[in-house]
Amino acid sequence: MFDPKALLDQFLGSNVPGTQGTIRDKAGQVGQLAKDNPLASGALVAVLLGTKTGRSLGGSALKIGGMAAIAGLGYQAWKNYQAGKAPVEAAQGGQPDLIAPPAESDFSAEPAAVDADFALSLVRVMIAAARADGHVDDAERARIHDKLELSGLGHDAVAFLDRELNQPVDMDAIVASAVTEVQKVEMFTAARLAIDPDTRAERGFLDLLAGRLGLADPLVDHIDATVAAAKG
């Protein structure tokens, strides 16, 4: 069985073979690695599904990636929402610094704090978001399958992604997996990281997800603004 947390890291770019050192150092290495070998550079949601998330790896969210990006951005949006700031005000400072949430916060990227089943749900919601515009037809699925075979992922992970791409999206199961308020914020943050909602279908998917999760409109606006700033 594959590790859902590791797959989540690969989906958002933090589990990057051939890089080491600090986050700042790794960010510079990722850019070159992405040019040399996109399938080894992480950000699989972009490489596999063609979303705009990973076409530029300059955003701070993709420099860090994985659960650290989801928890950090979710916490930042939640904190600004709780403080009563306007979303545009919170985003005016440019790309937000993705610092680890405080220990007393339920937002955490620490491995022991991240449930494997929920990590898998985050991968599922990102795939669902990327499929929202309906562009994944049979020909595209075949191309994605070929990319998966070259990606270096284990057989179980490839089989899981194949199933997710070929079966209908189970929104009931995805939404039900987000039990706490923090998990709901993190789930919407992950979906928003997966896409830039330029089409009506993508915007509709995010609106539907926010409604199903029961997130307040101002909080959704904060997440949207925070993720948009982080993606640069």
Side-chain angles (χ1 to χ4, degrees), residues 26-182:
K26 185 167 69 172
Q29 297 166 21
V30 167
Q32 186 59 49
L33 195 63
K35 295 177 183 178
D36 296 341
N37 184 1
L39 285 173
S41 68
L44 282 177
V45 70
V47 174
L48 298 179
L49 300 180
T51 72
K52 294 177 286 296
T53 296
R55 291 178 187 169
S56 170
L57 292 179
S60 59
L62 291 178
K63 291 176 184 178
I64 298 175
M67 197 64 208
I70 294 171
L73 290 172
Y75 171 72
Q76 185 74 26
W78 173 260
K79 183 176 68 171
N80 290 332
Y81 165 70
Q82 293 288 80
K85 294 183 179 180
V88 66
E89 173 191 352
Q92 278 175 346
Q95 292 188 2
D97 291 328
L98 290 183
I99 58 175
E104 65 271 16
S105 168
D106 289 331
F107 291 91
S108 179
E110 293 299 321
V114 181
D115 179 77
D117 289 339
F118 183 63
L120 207 57
S121 292
L122 294 178
V123 173
R124 284 192 167 108
V125 81
M126 284 189 285
I127 293 173
R131 292 175 60 184
D133 64 0
H135 82 278
V136 188
D137 56 18
D138 289 343
E140 181 65 11
R141 285 191 181 94
R143 287 192 291 271
I144 291 169
H145 183 83
D146 290 342
K147 292 177 184 178
L148 284 171
E149 290 299 322
L150 295 171
S151 67
L153 295 172
H155 174 76
D156 287 345
V158 170
F160 163 75
L161 292 172
D162 254 347
R163 287 195 302 272
E164 289 299 306
L165 289 165
N166 284 288
Q167 64 189 13
V169 174
D170 188 348
M171 282 296 291
D172 289 338
I174 290 173
V175 170
S177 69
V179 178
T180 68
E181 188 72 11
V182 166

Side-chain angles (χ1 to χ4, degrees), residues 19-30 63-64:
T19 61
Q20 56 186 354
T22 66
I23 287 174
R24 183 183 297 274
D25 294 336
K26 185 167 69 172
Q29 297 166 21
V30 167
K63 291 176 184 178
I64 298 175

